[in-house]
Amino acid sequence: MQYIDIDAPGSNQLFIGNEAMARGALEAGIGWASAYPGTPSSEILGSLAEVAKKRGIYVEWSVNEKVAIEAGAAASYAGIRSLVAMKMNGLNVVIDFLSTIVLSGIGKKGLVLMVGDDPAAHSSSNETDSRPVSKWLDIPLVEPGDFQEAKDMIPYLYDISEEFGTICILRSVTRVAHARGNIRLGEIPKVVHKARFEQYFDPAAPMPTPIMCVPSSFRHMFQHMRLDKIREKFETSTYNKYVGPEKPDLLIVTSGSGWLYSQDAVNALKAENRIGILKLGTLWPLPEKLVKSCLSKADKVLFIEETDPFLEGVIMEFAAGFSPESKRNLFYGNHTRHLNSFGELTPDAVIKAITGVLDIPYAPRDADYMKKVEAVPQQYVMDRLLTFCPGCPHRASFWAIKNALAMDGRHGFVTGDIGCYSMALGPAGFFQTRTHQCMGAGAGLANGFGQLHRFGFDQPVVSVVGDSTFYHSIIPGLVNGVHNHSDFTLVILDNGATAMTGFQPHPGTELTAMGEPAAQISMENICRAIGARVEVCDPFDLKSTTRTMLSMIEQKEGARVAIMRRTCELVRQKKEEKPYKMKIDPEKCLGEDCGCNRLCTRVFRCPGLIWDPVAGKTKIDEVICNECGVCADICPEGAITREAVA
Amino acid sequence: MVTKTKGMGELFKEVINKDLCTLCGACIGDCPYTVFYRGKIRMLDLCTREEGHCYGYCPRTRTDLDAINNKLFGVPFTGAEIGTVKDVFMARSRDAKVRSGAQYGGTVTSLLLLALESDLINAAITTNTDEDKLPEASVARSAAGVMAGAGSNYMAYPVLEALNRMPKDSKEKLGIVVTPCQAIALAKMRLDPPTQRASLDNIRLSVGLFCTWALAYDRFYEFLKNNVDLPKVRKFDIPPPPANRFDVYIGKEVKSFPLDEVRKYRMPTCAYCLDMTAEFTDISVGSVEGIEGWNTVIVRTQHGADIIAEAKKKGKLEIKDLPAQSLAHLKEASLIKKARAVQEIVKKTGDKNDLMYIDISHDLKEKLLGHKVGAQGGH
Amino acid sequence: MNKLAKDPINVVVAGVGGQGNVMVTLVLGNTLVHDGYFVTIGETYGASQRGGSVMSHLKISAEKQYSPLIPEGQADIVLGMEPVETLRVLKSYGNQNVVTVVNPRPIHAVDFTGSGAGYPDMRELLAQITGMSAKTYIVEATGEAQKLGNSMLANMILIGALIQTGLVTISREAIEKTIVDMFPKAVKENIAALSKGRELAAKQ
């Protein structure tokens, strides 16, 4: 196994962007890293955790992003270079702290926040662009354009952070953070970290205490002065570059993933002599002189950026202030609908934008081939919807929740949350989830629904959350619900890991990020201490879990908690053999007949069960089946059996 | 023929969601999509089959009464007040112990005991009353089990679920005690027997109970729970006539409720029921108007006649002629139930040609529509 | 490092979450980087691990770092770990010159199953794939891997077949070094699988 701290300066390695950033942090000599997992940012901390002990740094999966960044700031205040990582949703969670640390300033050592955005929301519930936060909250922001930059920008950013005493943000997107490319390694310095919180009351001291935001207006002004100085610094940054002819027909202004896509597109269009590209790495504060000089090269300017038209906005705003004698450009981008401000940026989208501005023909494949493409029957390429893994406890949990709500018959519903179990919006969880927003939202909504009985509301409300989510953002909702007598059931799907993002530990698990024994926080003790009735059940025991759910939703008032506890199948199979050998008796299988109608393959839909339309029977896919045994309990004919494996 | 052209979605749309369900239980027990819970049939998932037994066997989906009558008795459905009759008389058990636990004369219990004893059946499917006086289905394989099932609590219960749950390969010979709606469902099953269940030929004896209406399990139970000490209740009764009381025997006490108060908890679907005397069974049993401690017995099939003959031979039943006046009253009450059902249905559908589930001749329809039903009486 | 006949070479690896898509691109990518090439890999992660279609884009260049996504219709090679996914990828990225290596072992999807339609007819599916490729190698990788004792070796068999096509210049030494680095406990099995893949492709 290869670790990110491989000691081979100058060598070439194939790293994903997140590993490159983590390597960059090691080369910058960080002593602290904290994060909450979230795709596409998780591997930054994950790869640092693997080498933390060896490298003498502290790495922590924090309970949530806000604690992660506040804890990380403490390290900076005590003189340790500190890294904090999160996905864009986490940024929203930490906005309050960011808005004050820009005023209070950081410690003597740098504090860098790495935010991973997920355009197209491959693994997210939104696709917000984090870059505008820089302008909004006055925080310097950079964006790597390739893998090498993802690494190299980190030491650079720490230098900026320390020189100007401000937190800095590095924004990456899925196609940088999660793509792989060549990295030329640098040296990892030997740093002896020594932490001490110096308490100078002298306002002229490098870090005067108390650390505070008042007088806020004065400090706000001061941050703007800092940004002006940083802008000067950015004017000459090597992360900003122009490539192309001196007088191009079209100037592309781009950053991040758009840099490589733009080059690919220009290359595919064979338009290197007609198109110039200004690639910005330091986005905020905007290096205005550089931008102005590049704008003067061409009449037409096309903005290529992923998600929001951020540069498009700030540069057009900047250009609007040019003197009347200055060159006036024709701007293209999202505002002219040459590019979308949603979904993922792709080379095809860039090609389309360019050919929409310049008249360049482009046909990636010939007409004959296109005919073949169009002739492919749809049933040959049917969609594969996402689903829970074979043996996943969530499928069983939602089966019990579904049946309990249906038996109760009062049109009860599930408010959902963020994790693998988000798939319960669809057939994987039998379409049970009715709301799906951000972490914690389901419990908050349940609090509200649970108070509406005074207005005639009589439907049971079930908030379903994951274990990691519980610690992250559910506890206040439960406190609120118990305190205010809100009427709802909280279901915690406790599979013992932050499964969605790659099995990171959380406060309920045994080990810390660094693999050391953790103090496990019992979720049932928390819930009971809050005053909720708590029941713990095994979702694979469908009968008793359904009974528990019924007794929960039939309880007349108050917030109550059902913990459905079963290890994530992907974790279990690393440690244990398969528990059963599953078999189907074709004689007993009713198939589509009355009395079954393919309950297992049509409704339960575990991928381990295959429908054989010729035989009219269900079969087990022995390669995929994880032999959990649950389908034996749903088969109405007892055709599916499990045999314990000795 | 049984209408088997629709499935579960329509069953819920046309019957269950419209509060027309009789809780017979024909649609549950052998189907993973439906379940009985707290007085209601619930859908766990939608079955997409276009044809389902659930729809076909439901006593509130289109029912060809002629076909049923022909199948069971070899004659068409005429609309005669108390159905197809071989013999009518009054009877009571000769066993005092049986009579003491019985609603009226203990005839049903005696017949089941006899059937078990003489190996005509191995098990009796009945509706029992549990500790909390809630109805529950029982499959009794012993005399004690049958005795435990005696008495009525007037609450509807899906007893056919127990039949549907019999193992597919079961050869157990069955007796079953059913209400009129359950008898219709059973008859519809016989018209188009399920292939994936235990054979209906296993049913060797079906005993029907007279029924004017049944009480809604969930709502009536709430009422009882709030008004009487349920575990101490021995018996419920609506003494005839003028049938205006609901008596609850608690220990040695009797607590009476005005029947009008109890009637509020009737199943809405009972208003649309044609059948008072459980016309589609081997034997139907009910009370005798004005004579306490006796049952009216209607024998409808040879099966029924045979067991009555056996009961006579073994001295299990005391049998007397039913007074002509009692028979006349029974017929009138039964006719009124038919007429009222048809009139209520037309009121509901607003169309004389739309009798919902009922499929009867034009003449019979006109006759029933024209019959005076008077004020809502009886029980 | 050799100059490439076409630069970059675009490879799409197609499969179903859990099949080892990422592993295949990593083996190829690591080997090529050690040989001095620029490699960019774009992968689908996260939710797509759970039974969904997954695809990796692999761009190989002797000159520069390319973006992680291949434009529509620009694949040079499709490495198909699953037949439906292979056809899906050809629809989007195939062209008149594309070379396809496909494992004809189906992975059923709950959606095929749920609708009752079942998996498409294999012969017709492979005919579609062949019709949309300039050259097709049908490699019974899963079956052969099971013979070798571990169905996961199917991936290495496919890599062997890919190398045999001669479209990517990977030396035996380089790939064997990668195997030693990445699978130190199963070097022999993986090398055997690699040879099996080359052998199967050489016959076609």
Side-chain angles (χ1 to χ4, degrees), chain B residues 274-301:
Chain B
L274 277 184
D275 186 0
M276 192 179 93
T277 59
E279 294 177 26
F280 304 104
T281 51
D282 294 319
I283 299 175
S284 305
V285 180
S287 65
V288 186
E289 198 185 294
I291 306 173
E292 255 183 78
W294 285 79
N295 291 112
T296 301
V297 178
I298 305 172
V299 179
R300 304 184 184 280
T301 64

Side-chain angles (χ1 to χ4, degrees), chain A residues 54-72:
Chain A
K54 188 165 73 166
R55 292 289 167 181
I57 62 175
Y58 176 73
V59 169
E60 169 182 299
W61 285 118
S62 305
V63 68
N64 63 28
E65 293 87 349
K66 190 158 183 292
V67 172
I69 195 168
E70 289 155 354

Side-chain angles (χ1 to χ4, degrees), chain A residues 301-305 307-310 312-313 316 330-342 345 348-357:
Chain A
V301 176
L302 171 65
F303 295 97
I304 298 291
E305 43 192 333
T307 321
D308 281 356
F310 174 72
E312 188 173 329
M316 284 172 63
L330 279 168
F331 291 111
Y332 301 89
N334 173 249
H335 75 284
T336 54
R337 298 293 176 265
H338 284 81
L339 208 67
N340 291 330
S341 59
F342 52 84
L345 188 64
D348 292 305
V350 179
I351 290 168
K352 192 162 161 264
I354 294 172
T355 55
V357 177

Side-chain angles (χ1 to χ4, degrees), chain C residues 114-145:
Chain C
S115 69
Y119 198 88
D121 181 84
M122 186 57 67
R123 216 175 329 155
E124 288 178 36
L125 194 55
L126 291 175
Q128 289 275 348
I129 291 168
T130 310
M132 290 177 74
S133 311
K135 165 97 182 141
T136 308
Y137 297 84
I138 297 171
V139 180
E140 292 274 1
T142 306
E144 292 295 334

Side-chain angles (χ1 to χ4, degrees), chain B residues 204-237:
Chain B
R204 301 300 163 89
L205 178 66
S206 63
V207 180
L209 302 174
F210 292 5
C211 179
T212 321
W213 39 253
L215 294 166
Y217 173 118
D218 47 344
R219 289 182 297 130
F220 183 61
Y221 184 68
E222 278 296 307
F223 167 81
L224 278 181
K225 214 169 60 181
N226 294 332
N227 287 288
V228 297
D229 186 0
L230 279 170
K232 290 199 184 132
V233 170
R234 283 192 298 119
K235 178 179 165 176
F236 301 100
D237 190 24

Side-chain angles (χ1 to χ4, degrees), chain A residues 373-438:
Chain A
V373 168
E374 280 149 25
V376 174
Q378 189 49 39
Q379 71 266 27
Y380 285 13
V381 285
M382 210 188 288
D383 284 345
R384 286 180 196 267
L385 280 181
L386 300 182
T387 187
F388 297 131
C389 305
C392 174
H394 295 341
R395 182 178 289 104
S397 293
F398 277 103
W399 189 260
I401 292 168
K402 164 187 74 83
N403 283 356
L405 286 173
M407 286 164 81
D408 173 79
R410 287 175 292 162
H411 302 278
F413 56 94
V414 170
T415 59
D417 216 290
I418 307 300
C420 293
Y421 51 93
S422 297
M423 285 187 277
L425 286 164
F430 322 112
F431 303 97
Q432 289 302 293
T433 304
R434 292 288 176 268
T435 73
H436 177 251
Q437 286 146 330
C438 64

Side-chain angles (χ1 to χ4, degrees), chain A residues 273-285:
Chain A
N273 298 327
R274 295 184 65 191
I275 300 173
I277 306 174
L278 170 62
K279 176 264 183 190
L280 292 176
T282 68
L283 272 62
W284 194 259

Side-chain angles (χ1 to χ4, degrees), chain B residues 69-274:
Chain B
N69 226 70
N70 268 314
K71 173 85 185 173
L72 265 57
F73 311 117
V75 292
F77 181 77
T78 62
E81 298 90 334
I82 58 170
T84 308
V85 179
K86 263 186 141 41
D87 198 2
V88 185
F89 48 82
M90 56 189 247
R92 67 176 185 180
S93 174
R94 282 197 190 277
D95 185 335
K97 219 175 95 200
V98 170
R99 282 206 308 273
S100 75
Q103 197 69 22
Y104 303 114
T107 305
V108 175
T109 306
S110 278
L111 288 175
L112 292 176
L113 289 173
L114 172 65
L116 268 179
E117 206 178 285
S118 54
D119 203 33
L120 177 69
I121 63 172
N122 316 122
I125 299 180
T126 62
T127 308
N128 275 16
T129 301
D130 74 3
E131 275 290 289
D132 290 331
K133 301 299 172 272
L134 270 174
E136 63 178 7
S138 144
V139 183
R141 293 181 172 87
S142 68
V146 167
M147 296 282 279
S152 168
N153 61 14
Y154 295 91
M155 285 185 255
Y157 191 81
V159 73
L160 295 181
E161 177 181 18
L163 175 68
N164 288 340
R165 281 196 190 282
M166 295 304 290
K168 205 192 300 189
D169 52 0
S170 169
K171 296 276 183 282
E172 228 173 357
K173 293 178 283 186
L174 299 174
I176 187 163
V177 181
V178 290
T179 58
C181 49
Q182 290 163 351
I184 292 176
L186 202 53
K188 290 176 93 173
M189 290 183 188
R190 288 189 192 271
L191 271 188
D192 182 21
T195 52
Q196 306 288 357
R197 295 184 196 164
S199 168
L200 291 175
D201 296 340
N202 291 353
I203 303 174
R204 301 300 163 89
L205 178 66
S206 63
V207 180
L209 302 174
F210 292 5
C211 179
T212 321
W213 39 253
L215 294 166
Y217 173 118
D218 47 344
R219 289 182 297 130
F220 183 61
Y221 184 68
E222 278 296 307
F223 167 81
L224 278 181
K225 214 169 60 181
N226 294 332
N227 287 288
V228 297
D229 186 0
L230 279 170
K232 290 199 184 132
V233 170
R234 283 192 298 119
K235 178 179 165 176
F236 301 100
D237 190 24
I238 301 175
N244 58 5
R245 285 191 347 256
F246 186 84
D247 290 346
V248 183
Y249 292 72
I250 307 158
K252 287 176 184 165
E253 309 278 303
V254 178
K255 191 167 178 182
S256 290
F257 298 94
L259 196 62
D260 282 340
E261 197 177 326
V262 169
R263 212 183 259 128
K264 288 189 291 200
Y265 302 103
R266 271 179 315 177
M267 303 271 290
T269 188
C270 297
Y272 311 114
C273 175
L274 277 184

